[in-house]
């Protein structure tokens, strides 16, 4: 009589930009409960954190994430004039120097990342080659990061565009039980409210402006360029007319649109191929670019994972 094989556990880490630091809290809670996946895969920020976990670097990576403030986040912004606002080379070069850069086939834990072919719209599973290159392709959020050109001529962008919680990839890697970590489950109600609006800029005192070389000054200048200010002939003429409603910033419109799209896609994909266990941190209070608020995201990830443990242990048992 054949012995019963233990079910193999796969972890699918979802997209969500800065909210992805919640994955660190999820992974810590699973480790402390004695749960070790056999496979890990991710889309976008899920690929970044998943790569650190697969390489055995999670705690060192988490220590670095905990040091990120606005100044440090700004330091990784290498601005670009075409394809996306950021080239992403500073971030991935830092990753190569300080964390994992080896062939995916040699990963201590089987790893996969999801990207999107910009020309065909096809979902691309990255299971071989440089793990750093795979992460860079998976995090290439359209409009923010430039696409990644592959040797075969394809241009790859963020995997969250087609598969925000890659349950299907985890199953293809051999998982019998999949834990899906959905970072956007509670976001939609926030984005059904009016977007954060931009008021008219105050008149600056030139004598009080920070020096142009200061990071804070450069950050403020960059953010100002992303905003559409209210303007029009009526404002200049002095006519007593109702003011036009203020507009959200360009970045707010892009990020909100991407988030809503990913929420809808996640619901559709998970309805067709649901994970056995879903971990869904409550992250609506965090913005997509709040990379400096890691402690809040990590704690919420831990809380959500601990709440899901009884369900997981029933499946695994």
């Amino acid at each position: 009589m054949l012995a019963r094989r233990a079910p193999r556990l796969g972890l699918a880490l979802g997209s969500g930009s800065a909210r992805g630091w919640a994955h660190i809290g999820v992974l810590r809670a699973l480790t402390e409960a004695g749960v070790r996946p056999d496979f890990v895969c991710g889309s976008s920020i899920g690929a970044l954190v998943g790569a650190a976990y697969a390489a055995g670097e999670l705690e060192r990576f988490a220590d670095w994430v905990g040091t990120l403030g606005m100044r440090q986040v700004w330091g990784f912004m290498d601005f670009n004039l075409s394809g996306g606002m950021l080239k992403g080379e500073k971030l991935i070069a830092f990753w190569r120097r300080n964390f994992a850069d080896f062939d995916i086939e040699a990963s201590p834990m089987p790893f996969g990342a999801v990207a999107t072919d910009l020309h065909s719209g096809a979902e691309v599973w990255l299971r071989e080659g440089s793990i750093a290159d795979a992460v860079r392709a998976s995090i290439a959020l359209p409009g923010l990061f430039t696409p990644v050109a592959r040797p075969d001529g394809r241009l790859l962008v963020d995997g969250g565009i087609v598969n925000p919680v890659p349950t299907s990839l985890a199953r293809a890697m051999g998982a019998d039980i999949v834990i899906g970590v959905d970072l956007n489950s509670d976001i939609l109600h926030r984005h059904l409210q009016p977007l954060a609006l931009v008021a008219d800029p105050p008149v600056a005192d030139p004598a009080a402006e920070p020096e142009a070389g200061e990071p804070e000054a450069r950050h403020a200048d960059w953010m100002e360029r992303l905003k559409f200010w209210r303007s029009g002939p009526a404002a200049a003429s002095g006519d007593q007319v109702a003011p036009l409603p203020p507009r959200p910033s360009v970045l707010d419109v892009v990020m909100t649109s991407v988030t809503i799209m990913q929420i809808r896609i996640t619901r559709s994909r998970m309805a067709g191929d649901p994970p056995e266990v879903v971990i869904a941190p409550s992250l609506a209070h965090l913005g997509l670019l709040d990379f400096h608020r890691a402690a809040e995201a990590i704690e919420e990830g831990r809380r959500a994972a601990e709440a899901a443990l009884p369900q997981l242990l029933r499946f695994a048992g």
Side-chain angles (χ1 to χ4, degrees):
M1 183 176 178
L2 294 176
R4 181 175 179 267
R5 178 177 63 82
R8 291 176 294 187
L9 183 63
L11 189 60
L13 303 180
S15 60
S17 198
R19 300 179 187 121
W21 298 152
H23 290 314
I24 296 172
V26 169
L27 292 167
R28 282 176 168 172
L30 294 178
T31 299
E32 290 167 8
V35 176
R36 178 175 172 80
D38 298 287
F39 314 96
V40 61
C41 61
S43 281
S44 194
I45 191 72
L48 178 68
V49 178
Y53 180 63
E57 296 276 10
L58 182 68
E59 287 307 316
R60 203 160 65 85
F61 180 72
D63 289 342
W64 170 71
V65 166
T67 69
L68 290 176
M70 287 300 297
R71 183 186 296 267
Q72 288 75 22
V73 172
W74 172 260
F76 285 107
M77 293 183 179
D78 44 1
F79 294 103
N80 184 61
L81 297 178
S82 63
M85 289 189 298
L86 305 176
K87 291 183 287 186
E89 292 175 2
K90 285 186 177 181
L91 174 61
I92 211 64
F94 179 85
W95 173 271
R96 292 184 197 278
R97 290 194 308 269
N98 295 279
F99 299 106
D101 187 18
F102 50 79
D103 282 347
I104 293 174
E105 301 94 320
S107 176
M109 176 182 292
F111 170 79
V114 179
T116 305
D117 186 314
L118 185 60
H119 291 148
S120 68
E123 180 176 339
V124 179
W125 292 349
L126 303 171
R127 296 288 319 282
E128 59 185 23
S130 164
I131 197 169
D133 288 348
V135 167
R136 172 63 182 88
S138 191
I139 66 172
L141 187 68
L144 188 61
F145 285 109
T146 56
V148 172
R150 301 285 285 184
D152 59 7
R154 289 185 297 180
L155 284 177
L156 300 185
V157 294
D158 196 296
I161 300 300
V162 291
N163 199 353
V165 182
T167 304
S168 54
L169 175 53
R171 294 203 193 282
M173 293 171 68
D176 302 302
I177 297 170
V178 177
I179 305 171
V181 184
D182 182 5
L183 303 179
N184 299 316
S185 63
D186 72 329
I187 306 296
L188 189 56
H189 74 274
R190 174 189 179 190
H191 291 296
L192 290 175
Q193 305 300 319
L195 293 174
L197 300 178
V198 176
D200 284 324
V203 178
D205 178 3
E209 289 183 358
E211 296 182 10
E214 288 296 313
E216 289 81 359
R218 296 199 305 272
H219 175 70
D221 179 66
W222 173 65
M223 293 303 292
E224 295 302 316
R225 293 184 184 190
L226 295 175
K227 296 176 180 176
F228 288 141
W229 302 113
R230 287 179 293 170
S231 60
S237 67
D239 295 341
Q240 297 297 317
V241 297
L244 294 173
R247 301 174 183 176
S249 70
V250 173
L251 190 60
D252 206 2
V253 170
V254 172
M255 294 292 103
T256 299
S257 300
V258 169
T259 297
I260 293 172
M261 175 193 67
Q262 291 190 358
I263 292 167
R264 299 299 190 186
I265 295 171
T266 300
R267 289 182 176 181
S268 176
R269 296 292 300 254
M270 289 177 67
D273 186 10
E276 280 68 31
V277 177
V278 177
I279 297 175
S282 297
L283 300 167
H285 61 292
L286 295 178
L288 286 172
L289 299 180
D290 284 343
F291 291 100
H292 58 293
R293 299 173 66 182
E296 298 170 63
I298 291 171
E299 180 56 33
E300 181 51 38
R302 174 189 289 277
R303 188 206 63 77
E306 289 174 347
L309 277 174
Q311 181 187 7
L312 172 61
L313 295 177
R314 283 199 300 273
F315 274 107

